[in-house]
Amino acid sequence: QDIEKLDVSKLTPLTPEVISRQATINIGTIGHVAHGKTTVVKAISGVHTIRHKNELVRNITIKLGYANAKIYRCDNQLCPKPGCYRSKGSAHPDDFPCDRPGCSGRFRVQRHVSFVDCPGHDILMATMLNGAAVMDAALLLIAGNEACPQPQTSEHLAAVEIMRLRHLLILQNKIDLIKEQEAQNQYEAILDFIKGTVADGSPVVPISAQLGYNIDVVCEYICRHVPAYRSEVDDLKGGVAGGSVLRGVLRVGQEIEVRPGIISKGAEGRMTCRPILSRIVSLYTERNDLQFAVPGGLIGVGTMVDPTLCRADRMIGMVLGAVGTLPSIYIELEISFFLLRRLLGVRTRVQKLAKAELLMVNIGSLSTGCRVIAVKNDLARIALNQPVCTEIGEKIALSRRVDKHWRLIGWGQIRKGSPIKVVE
């Protein structure tokens, strides 16, 4: 990349100098616990997303995991499908010789993908919802050696439906552990399960993530059916903004603003926000350093924000952008909402919202508590525990505490809000 020769008008998510170093598609792995989400990410990218001590000890995903991969296709038109598709790590060269005997073609990079590996345990649903906020597409993992659907299979599918995700690939995993007739019976159960949902009509691919079987079919689907663009916001972690560019181009050296920023209360209890002004000092996508970043993929934006403001993930959910371009900051929102009839995976009916009830909302990458101020028909006014920088029309997820766990109960859309005072 050469920032001196940068022409923003000619950049696309598939421009060679972009795709060579930066991922431009976000794909989530969703599904029930232990159905193979982390394993399929490793099969495609070569990266094991379980990194934290607690995760390694318990061998489960607890926090969102991230990994980048390049997907290639052989340029020889006679190279048979799906074997003409391959995946490698993000740092791999953009082309290399085809290893099929007798083929003179070369594998050339077609897509650069960021994977968001979501936890499958029911008590980590809030973490999964944060991951869904930055997905362009999703791989729904269903273990072939278990009945379909499992509780979090239903819950995760409902979550991506709330987020309006339209590109889904269902992976029938662990087929190496079952007989052919069992696989066929479960395939029919999967079709019954997805009927009438956002996944209706999505292809079902039998795979073995552990053995790498049919991973080339997954790569072909990503190249042919997932559009190469993004449109979501960033969250701030420890002085480095990690997320996806919403619009425009970020450049090293650019002046930026982070909202809501520093939150404080006055003598009368009124809350005010002071946006944080800073400058971009580095841009990274996994191990690749960038001079500029376009919409798409997961990006790390190094800033000059004081590290003491960012300790312990205090600034997750905040939004970064060019100075003067970000939306308003709200502490109260008026929403239209839709409640599920029953809790997914269990038979408990979802009760109506009640005044003064405490809920959890997911707005973009922010999870925060809220109190219901008023309810009328399908409209509600909620007071948030912490301010949020968001746009009118944004989708939100609603969760209620049931049996000591937060469970998804419905979704909503922001109609209007009460802006908070911004101190310059």
Side-chain angles (χ1 to χ4, degrees):
Q1 291 185 344
D2 186 354
I3 199 168
E4 300 297 330
K5 299 179 181 179
L6 173 63
D7 184 352
V8 175
S9 64
K10 295 182 179 179
L11 287 179
T12 73
L14 298 180
T15 303
E17 56 264 44
V18 172
I19 201 174
S20 174
R21 306 191 65 81
Q22 178 191 334
T24 54
I25 306 171
N26 295 339
I27 297 179
T29 56
I30 62 175
H32 195 67
V33 62
H35 277 206
K37 298 180 291 297
T38 301
T39 307
V40 81
V41 170
K42 185 177 181 181
I44 297 173
S45 68
V47 177
H48 191 50
T49 59
I50 293 180
R51 298 186 176 99
H52 300 278
K53 182 180 177 181
N54 285 345
E55 295 178 316
L56 293 169
V57 170
R58 300 171 63 183
N59 195 32
I60 63 169
T61 301
I62 297 175
K63 296 189 175 185
L64 292 173
Y66 302 100
N68 286 1
K70 289 179 178 176
I71 298 178
Y72 300 80
R73 182 179 179 180
C74 180
D75 59 8
N76 183 355
Q77 297 299 317
L78 299 178
C79 202
K81 298 178 182 178
C84 59
Y85 289 90
R86 291 290 164 79
S87 63
K88 298 288 183 181
S90 182
H92 201 272
D94 292 344
D95 67 278
F96 57 94
C98 180
D99 55 4
R100 186 175 68 88
C103 182
S104 59
R106 295 182 68 84
F107 281 107
R108 302 189 185 278
V109 66
Q110 303 294 307
R111 296 287 189 273
H112 200 158
V113 179
S114 283
F115 287 98
V116 183
D117 185 23
C118 294
H121 203 284
D122 61 341
I123 64 173
L124 301 171
M125 191 62 197
T127 305
M128 182 272 159
L129 289 167
N130 285 348
V134 295
M135 294 179 192
D136 298 308
L139 306 178
L140 174 59
L141 275 290
I142 299 176
N145 59 344
E146 295 185 20
C148 175
Q150 293 292 310
Q152 271 55 63
T153 309
S154 302
E155 203 161 19
H156 284 198
L157 183 59
V160 296
E161 190 157 10
I162 288 169
M163 299 302 176
R164 293 182 175 179
L165 213 57
R166 292 292 176 263
H167 303 285
L168 282 166
L169 177 62
I170 300 168
L171 303 182
Q172 186 184 12
N173 193 21
K174 304 186 183 183
I175 61 162
D176 53 312
L177 302 180
I178 58 175
K179 296 179 180 179
E180 183 178 350
Q181 187 57 50
E182 292 174 320
Q184 181 63 35
N185 292 342
Q186 198 209 37
Y187 170 76
E188 293 171 1
I190 292 172
L191 294 184
D192 287 340
F193 163 60
I194 64 175
K195 192 175 295 181
T197 71
V198 69
D200 199 353
S202 298
V204 180
V205 179
I207 69 163
S208 171
Q210 199 71 258
L211 302 179
Y213 176 71
N214 267 354
I215 295 301
D216 48 4
V217 179
V218 179
C219 294
E220 180 182 13
Y221 175 87
I222 292 171
C223 287
R224 296 182 61 185
H225 298 289
V226 181
Y229 62 84
R230 265 301 307 142
S231 60
E232 277 299 340
V233 296
D234 312 41
D235 60 2
L236 195 68
K237 296 186 178 182
V240 177
S244 293
V245 180
L246 169 62
R247 59 176 72 93
V249 177
L250 292 179
R251 305 173 179 82
V252 172
Q254 180 179 354
E255 299 295 324
I256 56 164
E257 176 183 10
V258 180
R259 287 193 169 202
I262 299 173
I263 303 165
S264 58
K265 282 188 177 181
E268 300 177 355
R270 284 179 171 263
M271 196 174 289
T272 59
C273 294
R274 181 159 60 88
I276 299 169
L277 301 179
S278 186
R279 182 166 57 86
I280 297 176
V281 295
S282 64
L283 292 166
Y284 275 88
T285 172
E286 209 167 67
R287 297 181 182 179
N288 299 333
D289 64 303
L290 309 171
Q291 291 299 308
F292 55 86
V294 302
L298 298 173
I299 304 299
V301 184
T303 70
M304 299 181 70
V305 175
D306 188 338
T308 59
L309 297 175
C310 314
R311 292 177 58 220
D313 292 346
R314 293 175 186 171
M315 304 183 83
I316 284 180
M318 295 195 183
V319 182
L320 175 152
V323 178
T325 64
L326 296 178
S328 299
I329 304 169
Y330 301 100
I331 192 64
E332 289 187 6
L333 296 173
E334 185 175 302
I335 63 170
S336 58
F337 65 88
F338 171 81
L339 298 181
L340 304 173
R341 290 187 178 181
R342 298 179 184 275
L343 289 180
L344 296 166
V346 294
R347 296 183 177 181
T348 308
R349 291 186 65 85
V350 174
Q351 302 298 320
K352 294 181 179 179
L353 296 188
K355 186 177 180 180
E357 181 180 7
L358 300 179
L359 302 172
M360 183 181 70
V361 294
N362 289 80
I363 307 172
S365 58
L366 175 70
S367 295
T368 185
C370 72
R371 180 172 54 85
V372 179
I373 300 174
V375 184
K376 185 177 181 181
N377 298 326
D378 62 346
L379 297 176
R381 190 166 186 84
I382 57 176
L384 304 174
N385 289 359
Q386 63 186 97
V388 60
C389 177
T390 188
E391 294 182 309
I392 302 301
E394 181 77 16
K395 286 267 190 176
I396 69 173
L398 301 171
S399 300
R400 174 182 284 150
R401 200 165 181 83
V402 179
D403 295 332
K404 299 182 180 180
H405 300 317
W406 290 107
R407 301 299 300 267
L408 181 69
I409 62 166
W411 60 273
Q413 188 170 23
I414 299 173
R415 295 299 184 187
K416 57 184 178 180
S418 302
I420 203 168
K421 182 179 181 181
V422 176
V423 180
E424 299 297 336

